Amino acid sequence: SLLWAARPGMLFQEDRQSSLHPLSLSWVLGYNSSLAVHSLMDGEDRVLLYVSSHTVVIHDVLGNRQYHLQGHTNVISCLCVSEDRRWVATADRGPDALIIVWDSFSGMPVRTIFGSHPEEGVSAIAISQDAKYLATISAGTVQRVCVWKWTLPTEKPVCSTELRPEFGYQDYVIFNPQNPYEFVSNSKTQVIFYLWGDASLQYGVPLLNSQTFNSVVGRFGQSVFHFNNSQALTGTSAGKLVVWEAVGPRTPSEELWVKPHSMKATKLVPLQKDRLTVLTVFESCIVTGDVKGQVKFYDGQLQLLTCYSHSKVGPIRSISFSKTRPDPPGAFPPCSTSSTTSSQPFVARNFILSTSDATVLHVATDRTNFEKVLEEAKQAVNAIACHPRQALVAVGSHCGLLKVWDYQQTKYLVSRIFTEAGIQCLSYDSEGYFLAAGFTDGSVYILDAISLHSSCKEFKFSHGPVTHISFSHDSEYLATADEKYSVTVYKRVLQNGSRCWEHLAGLHSHYKPIRSILFGVQLDSNEPRLLSLGEDRQLIEYDLNSSSKDHLVVLHRDRVEQTAVPLCLAWYPQLSTESFILTANNCYKMKLYNTTTKMCRKTLLGPTYGSPLKKIQILPTTNTTDPQKHYLAYITKDKVGLQILPIDGNPHKSSAFICHPDGVSDLASSYDGRYVFTVGGSDCTVMKWEVNLNALDAAASLGGEDLVPFYSLLDGGREGEFFRELEDYFYYAQLRSHGIDTLETRQVSRHIPLEEIPLVMRAMGFYPSEEKIEEMINEVKFSKYVDTGEQVTKINLGDFIKLYINHRPAFGLSMKKIQRAFQVLGYDNENEDKVIDRGDLLFLLQCRGEHMTEDELAQCLTTLLGKRPGGGGSEPDTYDPPGAAALTEEEIPEEITAEIFAADILGLPIAEPEKKTKK
């Protein structure tokens, strides 16, 4: 009923209801300039349709409104629009690729085709003139062409065929407007004609090279069918048009089926010297666009009618004509090279131009007026920063374009272009007076936040691209980190009666990439603190007061992880008496460290949405009713999300949404916490997300309270076998702590001593390192120390379940990790298997990492290999095992593969394919 009632322009007439999601897309800046921009409406309502990353944007330019068509999980690779501008078909590339047909009048998806091309997705798509059929070409190495009747509820195409790789990568397809059973596609080197019907698809591959007409042809661009229905045309990089016609004898009844195989190149028409980038047919004209921004109109005999050009228009990517006809023609001045064969002056409809340098223009043909509609970043957008006091956001790109945007009014305010290098990172100071920019050439600019004029001469003390930049809370210091693992600090000083910035010092403080730099405030004063975190697992705090010119002093250097890699850093809100630093690592864990001692106080399960957290930011809050309510915004590889604080491992307290499928580069939040912004790097887009904290709180409440959310993370839940086994081990640990063979009356308790924690963890299949065991015990032991001054000596079952879930590997044991270790430590044997020599394995276990003594190793091996008698008892260590070397010679092969180590030594179950490899 909504589809039948839909009319053009109604999309923006109704008030949009507030979203029920914690994050909802509110606005998109930038678009994919490699895809076409379409004009849906012109005149009083100028409405454009274009693609931004995985989202289709319907943009009312004059009304300054956007509507977003969301459904793809991968970047949209191609799109097409029906003749009446109502139906929009989009397709993507990647895992679980989709084809979606949308109704542009209502914004509804009316058909979704799953698994159309499961190999690599779709490279090209076209819709027939009657809007009943779709033609798609897959993006795989071996391409498949399919025809779909999208109005049918089926996942199978009407017909399909496979193309040979020698035809080249076919990336353009279009239907014959006068015959929906005929279409053409082309690669850079080959044009293919198709005819389908009765569930069969035939194609012809005409040959053409420079010898055919003794002239350079060039590479193919786009193809179209001539409106006379007897010819087809293809534009080339040499500025020529190839004219294709069906040649050879044929009868009228055989004409259709002979046509694809009989199409031959009959002419090669030189139109110009510049490369043709666009070729289309509109009404009774053939229209071309080229690399110099010229749009030319030809009649059916390829005689030039007129052309439109502008000196500042770049290479044309698409041309889309208005649906409304122009006013009665006046005297139109044709370009100097134009000629007309008609006595009537030629007037085209208004049209929309998009260029490959990310500019969209509206051309009014009656007065040759080129009006710039959009001008976006031409290269990757990696930098974003929000003003700390106003509704302003600054965006920087690798093309050197810096723009400041009012995100409440959705309009640009000021911009500046830097020609020397690309912008990599941005930061406002706490008052909003300065905007600092770090560049790809290592330079740093400190700008006036309003005018974007330089406040001082640029600095260039970094030897690589600047990756992070941040001001101190009092705007007295500015710190940067670069790709050469160095931290550089700048300071505001008084010179000649005025405040200015100067370089203080720099330090090559890490030996792996720096992931975060963070300013804070000293606990006992208002002096700034500076920390940096690197993939080398080092958390470094610098002594700014003791630092002097060209000498940056390190105050503390702490290792924060044993095997995981820390990825981001933030100050944790003051939710308790103790102050914390929050980190997230590549194992989906979030950790709280005491701000003074840097002791790990808590390990928690973080959001698990396909990839670890890349950046975290405490969401500013203006909630005066409950000052203890805080939230965290974060990004992963391709998603943006929110997390309720305090973090406790409850999965229902977080949510995430795909924002940039090809990778999100940075995150920023508005000063009032109402909006979150993400930038997509290579997709050249910025997305503004509206925050709905009530929806997030509601989702957390629906997930249950207390232990209910944690039970769902156990295999089988609260009623499952795993939980019952956990209970048995827990109560067995109680018996063990009292002594198995005691005859004294036992004290029934719901707790076990902290010393039993590692034993129960291992019994449940989680094998923590000694350092991890110490962290777990300390986490419980000192959990109440700050408040009560007393240490905790025991733990109950509920707290143990939380401890287990938060500390165990997020996705369980992985055979891939063992195989990865053998890849690093092993060598290829004669069967080309990765193996470790038995002696080398014993040496590594006794000398590397948390090394074991020979007695400890022998004791473990005798137990694992089933050589240990007794199997339990209150005195488990009375058996005296043989030496490790003697035991392994008998029981362990000389060369050990990952599969032998896992299955035969550790006794772990492995999957069937790995068992076959082992054999």
Side-chain angles (χ1 to χ4, degrees):
S1 61
L2 290 175
L3 289 176
W4 285 113
R7 294 292 181 269
M10 67 171 286
L11 202 59
F12 299 103
Q13 292 175 1
E14 299 178 0
D15 293 332
R16 201 178 304 182
Q17 296 180 351
S18 59
S19 173
L20 301 178
H21 301 289
L23 289 171
S24 55
L25 188 59
S26 174
W27 197 270
V28 179
L29 298 173
Y31 72 99
N32 185 347
S33 59
S34 66
L35 297 181
V37 175
H38 293 272
S39 173
L40 296 185
M41 299 178 68
D42 199 359
E44 294 181 2
D45 298 308
R46 188 177 300 169
V47 180
L48 305 181
L49 180 141
Y50 51 83
V51 168
S52 297
S53 189
H54 66 310
T55 303
V56 181
V57 180
I58 299 177
H59 188 175
D60 180 0
V61 177
L62 302 180
N64 198 25
R65 297 171 294 185
Q66 285 185 354
Y67 191 92
H68 307 112
L69 308 182
Q70 296 174 274
H72 289 276
T73 57
N74 305 304
V75 171
I76 295 173
S77 57
C78 50
L79 83 159
C80 58
V81 178
S82 64
E83 181 68 19
D84 62 359
R85 318 294 168 91
R86 176 164 190 177
W87 310 108
V88 180
T90 57
D92 63 62
R93 257 182 271 192
D96 304 318
L98 300 175
I99 298 172
I100 304 179
V101 180
W102 311 83
D103 174 24
S104 69
F105 292 177
S106 65
M108 293 178 59
V110 295
R111 180 77 167 91
T112 301
I113 302 174
F114 299 90
S116 58
H117 297 281
E119 311 86 15
E120 298 289 342
V122 184
S123 67
I125 190 169
I127 190 167
S128 61
Q129 182 85 358
D130 58 8
K132 292 182 179 180
Y133 305 103
L134 295 175
T136 61
I137 304 178
S138 69
T141 305
V142 178
Q143 291 184 288
R144 176 166 288 276
V145 181
C146 297
V147 177
W148 311 81
K149 188 170 183 180
W150 63 268
T151 53
L152 296 177
T154 177
E155 300 296 321
K156 292 184 179 180
V158 176
C159 54
S160 66
T161 189
E162 204 169 83
L163 302 179
R164 297 203 297 269
E166 55 263 32
F167 297 158
Y169 187 78
Q170 301 285 315
D171 57 2
Y172 186 80
V173 63
I174 189 170
F175 274 95
N176 185 344
Q178 301 176 60
N179 182 7
Y181 299 98
E182 191 176 355
F183 59 95
V184 62
S185 74
N186 67 263
S187 65
K188 296 290 184 288
T189 57
Q190 183 65 63
V191 176
I192 304 176
F193 292 92
Y194 307 83
L195 195 67
W196 68 275
D198 297 329
S200 64
L201 176 59
Q202 298 188 23
Y203 64 86
V205 186
L207 298 178
L208 174 64
N209 51 44
S210 57
Q211 284 78 39
T212 306
F213 298 103
N214 294 320
S215 178
V216 175
V217 177
R219 292 191 169 271
F220 297 143
Q222 295 181 353
S223 300
V224 294
F225 286 93
H226 198 292
F227 49 80
N228 63 17
N229 200 30
S230 63
Q231 296 176 326
L233 308 170
T234 300
T236 76
S237 60
K240 300 175 181 179
L241 273 188
V242 182
V243 180
W244 310 90
E245 289 187 82
V247 298
R250 61 183 184 271
T251 63
S253 61
E254 295 176 343
E255 180 177 351
L256 280 179
W257 291 107
V258 172
K259 192 172 182 179
H261 303 284
S262 62
M263 294 295 286
K264 306 292 181 185
T266 59
K267 295 179 185 176
L268 185 63
V269 182
L271 297 182
Q272 57 186 57
K273 293 182 180 180
D274 301 312
R275 178 164 65 95
L276 298 177
T277 57
V278 175
L279 178 64
T280 186
V281 170
F282 188 75
E283 294 180 335
S284 58
C285 294
I286 296 162
V287 187
T288 66
D290 61 32
V291 291
K292 288 193 173 180
Q294 298 181 104
V295 178
K296 296 182 180 180
F297 290 77
Y298 298 86
D299 63 13
Q301 287 73 45
L302 298 181
Q303 297 296 310
L304 182 64
L305 298 175
T306 188
C307 74
Y308 299 85
S309 63
H310 193 283
S311 59
K312 294 185 179 180
V313 177
I316 294 174
R317 179 62 192 84
S318 69
I319 304 171
S320 181
F321 289 91
S322 168
K323 288 200 298 182
T324 57
R325 293 184 178 275
D327 294 331
F332 173 74
C335 64
S336 58
T337 59
S338 69
S339 63
T340 61
T341 58
S342 171
S343 59
Q344 295 294 327
F346 171 78
V347 177
R349 296 190 187 188
N350 296 344
F351 55 90
I352 291 290
L353 281 184
S354 72
T355 67
S356 57
D357 56 5
T359 303
V360 178
L361 302 105
H362 178 266
V363 181
T365 57
D366 57 347
R367 54 187 184 278
T368 63
N369 180 36
F370 284 71
E371 178 187 352
K372 194 173 291 183
V373 178
L374 296 173
E375 185 176 19
E376 302 296 347
K378 305 172 181 62
Q379 297 178 25
V381 179
N382 288 324
I384 190 166
C386 285
H387 195 283
R389 296 178 183 273
Q390 299 178 41
L392 305 177
V393 61
V395 179
S397 76
H398 276 192
C399 63
L401 177 64
L402 173 62
K403 281 189 172 185
V404 177
W405 184 58
D406 183 333
Y407 55 80
Q408 289 284 22
Q409 303 297 323
T410 58
K411 64 179 182 181
Y412 288 116
L413 298 180
V414 63
S415 64
R416 179 177 173 181
I417 295 179
F418 298 85
T419 57
E420 296 81 8
I423 303 170
Q424 186 70 25
C425 51
L426 293 168
S427 178
Y428 281 100
D429 75 311
S430 60
E431 296 296 325
Y433 298 147
F434 298 108
L435 175 62
F439 286 77
T440 53
D441 65 350
S443 59
V444 173
Y445 282 74
I446 302 176
L447 312 172
D448 179 88
I450 298 175
S451 65
L452 300 186
H453 294 153
S454 297
S455 297
C456 57
K457 188 178 180 181
E458 73 273 12
F459 298 104
K460 196 168 183 181
F461 291 91
S462 297
H463 298 291
V466 178
T467 56
H468 299 79
I469 192 164
S470 182
F471 283 96
S472 62
H473 73 287
D474 56 3
S475 302
E476 292 297 313
Y477 292 93
L478 172 70
T480 66
D482 58 50
E483 284 189 4
K484 298 298 182 181
Y485 319 144
S486 297
V487 172
T488 307
V489 179
Y490 304 88
K491 187 177 181 181
R492 246 177 127 196
V493 296
L494 188 63
Q495 283 186 356
N496 301 325
S498 62
R499 302 292 296 265
C500 62
W501 291 91
E502 71 169 18
H503 172 257
L504 178 62
L507 182 66
H508 190 281
S509 49
H510 294 268
Y511 62 89
K512 285 189 177 181
I514 298 172
R515 300 299 307 220
S516 294
I517 57 171
L518 187 67
F519 272 105
V521 184
Q522 299 285 355
L523 294 177
D524 54 353
S525 68
N526 198 40
E527 293 297 316
R529 299 174 69 178
L530 176 62
L531 298 93
S532 65
L533 179 70
E535 290 184 13
D536 53 8
R537 304 181 179 90
Q538 297 293 312
L539 176 62
I540 300 176
E541 182 168 2
Y542 304 88
D543 190 343
L544 296 176
N545 284 332
S546 302
S547 299
S548 56
K549 184 66 175 176
D550 296 326
H551 181 60
L552 185 59
V553 178
V554 172
L555 184 62
H556 297 292
R557 187 185 291 267
D558 299 280
R559 180 173 63 82
V560 293
E561 295 283 359
Q562 186 178 24
T563 56
V565 178
L567 300 179
C568 47
L569 180 71
W571 296 106
Y572 199 63
Q574 196 76 35
L575 302 178
S576 63
T577 311
E578 196 171 0
S579 299
F580 297 111
I581 299 169
L582 176 65
T583 68
N585 64 31
N586 67 333
C587 294
Y588 298 88
K589 302 296 182 183
M590 304 182 81
K591 292 190 172 184
L592 294 176
Y593 294 88
N594 183 281
T595 56
T596 304
T597 64
K598 309 299 193 307
M599 176 182 176
C600 180
R601 293 286 292 105
K602 215 164 212 183
T603 299
L604 302 150
L605 178 66
T608 53
Y609 296 109
S611 56
L613 306 191
K614 284 178 58 176
K615 183 175 181 179
I616 54 179
Q617 192 172 98
I618 304 301
L619 201 64
T621 178
T622 56
N623 189 350
T624 55
T625 58
D626 188 357
Q628 290 298 303
K629 263 195 168 182
H630 292 274
Y631 301 84
L632 176 82
Y634 62 84
I635 53 174
T636 67
K637 178 184 176 182
D638 59 351
K639 297 178 182 69
V640 59
L642 296 175
Q643 168 81 47
I644 299 174
L645 301 181
I647 302 169
D648 58 5
N650 181 351
H652 301 294
K653 284 188 173 183
S654 68
S655 67
F657 300 85
I658 296 174
C659 55
H660 303 276
D662 276 356
V664 53
S665 296
D666 204 357
L667 165 80
S669 58
S670 62
Y671 71 97
D672 56 3
R674 292 178 56 196
Y675 300 101
V676 170
F677 298 86
T678 58
V679 290
S682 59
D683 69 12
C684 302
T685 60
V686 180
M687 294 192 175
K688 170 189 168 187
W689 302 84
E690 189 172 353
V691 175
N692 184 351
L693 298 177
N694 291 332
L696 184 62
D697 290 334
S701 299
L702 291 172
E705 298 179 351
D706 197 26
L707 286 171
V708 173
F710 296 92
Y711 289 141
S712 64
L713 297 175
L714 298 175
D715 188 19
R718 175 68 175 81
E719 306 301 325
E721 182 180 344
F722 186 87
F723 179 78
R724 290 197 298 271
E725 189 176 351
L726 174 57
E727 276 188 317
D728 291 343
Y729 283 127
F730 191 83
Y731 296 132
Y732 177 75
Q734 286 185 355
L735 297 175
R736 192 177 179 280
S737 65
H738 292 126
I740 297 295
D741 300 325
T742 182
L743 298 177
E744 298 179 6
T745 303
R746 298 182 184 275
Q747 297 294 323
V748 178
S749 171
R750 296 185 179 181
H751 298 79
I752 61 171
L754 299 188
E755 296 78 21
E756 297 292 324
I757 288 178
L759 298 176
V760 182
M761 292 286 183
R762 290 168 183 150
M764 297 310 300
F766 168 38
Y767 309 101
S769 64
E770 295 300 318
E771 183 174 312
K772 177 67 72 175
I773 290 170
E774 185 179 355
E775 286 184 358
M776 285 192 292
I777 293 176
N778 285 338
E779 180 177 319
V780 181
K781 182 186 293 186
F782 298 107
S783 58
K784 299 179 181 178
Y785 187 80
V786 175
D787 297 323
T788 65
E790 298 178 355
Q791 295 182 5
V792 177
T793 58
K794 55 188 179 181
I795 186 172
N796 62 31
L797 180 60
D799 290 338
F800 180 87
I801 290 173
K802 291 182 180 179
L803 190 72
Y804 168 74
I805 286 172
N806 282 318
H807 281 266
R808 70 175 180 179
F811 301 105
L813 289 172
S814 172
M815 186 64 196
K816 289 183 179 179
K817 286 190 176 181
I818 299 177
Q819 290 170 338
R820 168 66 180 158
F822 274 71
Q823 289 282 338
V824 175
L825 300 173
Y827 61 89
D828 291 323
N829 66 2
E830 57 186 13
N831 297 325
E832 297 186 355
D833 294 327
K834 280 291 181 183
V835 298
I836 298 179
D837 180 78
R838 181 176 59 204
D840 291 342
L841 178 62
L842 294 178
F843 173 79
L844 290 168
L845 291 173
Q846 294 178 80
C847 302
R848 296 291 180 90
E850 293 181 349
H851 52 267
M852 310 167 73
T853 65
E854 184 176 0
D855 288 343
E856 289 173 334
L857 179 58
Q859 192 173 5
C860 286
L861 290 175
T862 51
T863 305
L864 287 169
L865 298 172
K867 295 296 181 181
R868 181 173 181 165
S874 58
E875 297 181 5
D877 299 327
T878 56
Y879 172 63
D880 186 20
L887 177 69
T888 53
E889 287 182 7
E890 299 175 7
E891 301 294 333
I892 301 177
E894 188 173 346
E895 290 183 338
I896 306 167
T897 65
E899 291 72 30
I900 291 174
F901 182 73
D904 296 347
I905 298 177
L906 299 182
L908 299 175
I910 59 176
E912 287 299 322
E914 290 159 352
K915 286 184 179 178
K916 292 177 182 177
T917 304
K918 172 176 174 287
K919 291 177 183 178

